[in-house]
Amino acid sequence: MGASPEQSRRVILVGRTGLDAKLRADPDLELLRVRNAMEAIAELGDPIDELSPAKAVVVFGEGSTPGAGTRVDEAMTDAVAGLRLVDPTVAIMGTTPLPASVLAALDGALDPGADGEDIADQIRGIRTPTPPAATPADASRAVLPPKPADPAQPIDPAAALANGQDPVESVLATVRDALNDKTLRLENGHVPNGAAVVWHGRVLATMLSDASSVEKMAAHAPTLAPWLAIREQFRRLRLAAYSDPLTGAWNRRYFDQFLSGALAAARDQRHNVTILVFDIDNFKSYNDRFGHEAGDDILIETVRLLRSVIRPTDRVCRIGGDEFAVIFHEPQGPRDPASRHPTSIHAIAARFQSQVRSACFPKLGSDAPGTLTISGGLATYPWDGTTPAELLRRADELAIEGKMQGKNVIMFGPGTPQDSQ
């Protein structure tokens, strides 16, 4: 007998839990396995089906956090903080091989040796935390250190962070009100003649003012410190969740989300968006002949070269093994209102293609099988497609056409302008 909708669970297994096989067959559990806490945070913030009513349960196993002893405790504290920031209602459990000190801080413990049905029932029955209400400091106690006795209290900084806003600005506004000082401001790092905001012995920022004394500002530093630390941690987590660790390019998750947003803005403002999808011709032969280290160097250099020719508002994404995508996007539209789209895009692609052909890769040696080449396709909204899926499909089709013509070709759809140079 299946579980009720209220007991459906989206289960994210982190590390070696030993639960995969036992839970896979349960139709009421949406099962997902990730390698570490960073990936769990990313998946929690990007569910497969945003309309699903299933509550999220994250289960940590061995290898899910680095270090040993107290370092495991610290790593788990950071992981829990990140998970709670993304979804305050997530239930967080662990498997019994984890230290008792870690399990005691979670919402429940699971025994991998137990019967699969019993484990599933325990996961379905776990009580998920209540979302933050009017007092964020109370609902966020798993994220924050003990609330300081300072009279200045944050005005819902947790809600600001959840909405993609800066929580520090919310807290800083409260401190300004407490000091009746509109000149109060923050500077990154240590600045002389200011009040340092310190977290675990590290100066995160300095409070400066044209009206308040250092002593008065310093009294409010403990209020700001944890939120500065959380903001920094959240930025690191988001960067890790949306970037490719090898090349530093944005990853497929970022590509999907950014392209959707760019197209929505283009529809509203009547702008154009072009994507370039390309891969390295015969890349597998380089990996097979010269090794994966040489292949990695090729991928890293490809991204570096591409970044050297694109514009600051464009995005380079790695969406597959040796497959990349570039989103050519101008948020403010072209400088010339009469222009459909910047005419430099085809020139940018051609210049990049030329740079790849002439690039030097020492690990390939003198007997490399010719120069590197790329094949790709350029597709432009709205002529080549009006949705992310349509644009990507059209760019892929054009890239395949280029390969059929002998490779080392970038094809473009009717909406992609060509430079006359």
Side-chain angles (χ1 to χ4, degrees):
M1 184 176 177
S4 65
E6 291 76 12
Q7 290 180 304
S8 296
R9 295 287 183 261
R10 179 170 180 252
V11 184
I12 302 174
L13 303 178
V14 190
R16 300 184 298 275
T17 63
L19 303 180
D20 304 57
K22 294 185 176 183
L23 300 178
R24 187 69 65 186
D26 194 308
D28 297 307
L29 300 181
E30 179 188 307
L31 205 60
L32 180 66
R33 181 178 178 181
V34 298
R35 293 171 296 180
N36 51 49
M38 205 74 75
E39 291 185 3
I41 292 169
E43 293 296 344
L44 186 65
D46 187 25
I48 297 173
D49 181 3
E50 295 182 355
L51 299 179
S52 171
K55 295 291 186 179
V57 179
V58 176
V59 181
F60 284 96
E62 290 182 293
S64 54
T65 54
T70 56
R71 291 185 180 179
V72 172
D73 294 353
E74 293 173 359
M76 186 60 72
T77 298
D78 288 343
V80 169
L83 291 165
R84 297 283 191 220
L85 285 173
V86 174
D87 181 1
T89 70
V90 64
I92 305 174
M93 309 178 78
T95 54
T96 48
L98 289 174
S101 59
V102 170
L103 293 174
L106 304 182
D107 299 318
L110 298 170
D111 179 8
D115 178 75
E117 189 173 337
D118 292 340
I119 296 174
D121 287 342
Q122 189 175 349
I123 290 175
R124 279 194 291 264
I126 189 71
R127 186 173 181 179
T128 56
T130 303
T135 311
D138 294 338
S140 304
R141 59 183 179 274
V143 177
L144 300 178
K147 186 171 59 174
D150 191 276
Q153 297 298 318
I155 302 177
D156 209 6
L161 186 61
N163 291 326
Q165 300 169 340
D166 187 352
V168 174
E169 285 302 317
S170 174
V171 183
L172 192 60
T174 305
V175 176
R176 288 191 185 107
D177 289 343
L179 293 174
N180 193 23
D181 181 0
K182 293 184 178 180
T183 70
L184 184 68
R185 60 196 180 276
L186 280 179
E187 295 287 343
N188 292 330
H190 175 72
V191 179
N193 303 318
V197 182
V198 182
W199 182 253
H200 289 180
R202 185 164 64 94
V203 177
L204 300 181
T206 302
M207 301 170 67
L208 298 172
S209 170
D210 299 333
S212 299
S213 67
V214 172
E215 290 75 15
K216 288 184 177 180
M217 290 188 291
H220 295 270
T223 301
L224 278 163
W227 290 103
L228 278 165
I230 287 173
R231 181 179 68 177
E232 181 181 281
Q233 178 194 54
F234 194 61
R235 285 175 176 172
R236 288 199 309 268
L237 293 172
R238 286 188 62 83
L239 179 61
Y242 287 104
S243 60
D244 172 46
L246 173 65
T247 65
W250 298 110
N251 60 19
R252 178 59 186 264
R253 178 181 292 109
Y254 181 91
F255 171 80
D256 291 338
Q257 294 193 12
F258 186 87
L259 182 57
S260 294
L263 290 182
R267 281 190 291 269
D268 292 342
Q269 302 170 21
R270 298 183 180 276
H271 293 166
N272 312 118
V273 176
T274 294
I275 65 170
L276 164 65
V277 174
F278 71 91
D279 61 19
I280 299 167
D281 295 328
N282 303 316
F283 180 74
K284 185 177 184 300
S285 68
Y286 291 96
N287 261 343
D288 293 343
R289 183 170 179 180
F290 300 98
H292 288 281
E293 185 178 357
D296 289 349
D297 279 358
I298 291 174
L299 298 176
I300 293 169
E301 181 66 6
T302 296
V303 170
R304 189 193 70 79
L305 291 173
L306 187 49
R307 282 178 168 164
S308 72
V309 298
I310 63 172
R311 304 164 307 188
T313 55
D314 301 331
R315 298 294 188 272
V316 180
C317 308
R318 184 184 179 193
I319 59 176
D322 68 317
E323 187 177 18
F324 294 88
V326 185
I327 304 173
F328 294 97
H329 170 59
E330 280 192 318
Q332 305 305 320
R335 296 183 185 90
D336 180 3
S339 173
R340 290 193 317 175
H341 202 39
T343 58
S344 61
I345 289 177
H346 190 268
I348 289 174
R351 188 159 63 249
F352 167 60
Q353 191 177 25
S354 175
Q355 288 197 8
V356 170
R357 283 198 305 269
S358 60
C360 177
F361 298 92
K363 285 188 173 62
L364 299 184
S366 59
D367 59 343
T371 58
L372 290 177
T373 60
I374 63 169
S375 294
L378 281 162
T380 297
Y381 167 87
W383 295 276
D384 299 311
T386 58
T387 68
E390 290 174 355
L391 276 182
L392 186 59
R393 181 168 59 249
R394 182 57 182 147
D396 276 333
E397 292 171 353
L398 291 166
I400 293 172
E401 289 180 30
K403 287 188 177 294
M404 293 176 65
Q405 292 188 16
K407 302 181 181 179
N408 191 29
V409 175
I410 292 182
M411 301 288 290
F412 48 89
T416 306
Q418 301 180 59
D419 202 345
S420 59
Q421 296 180 355

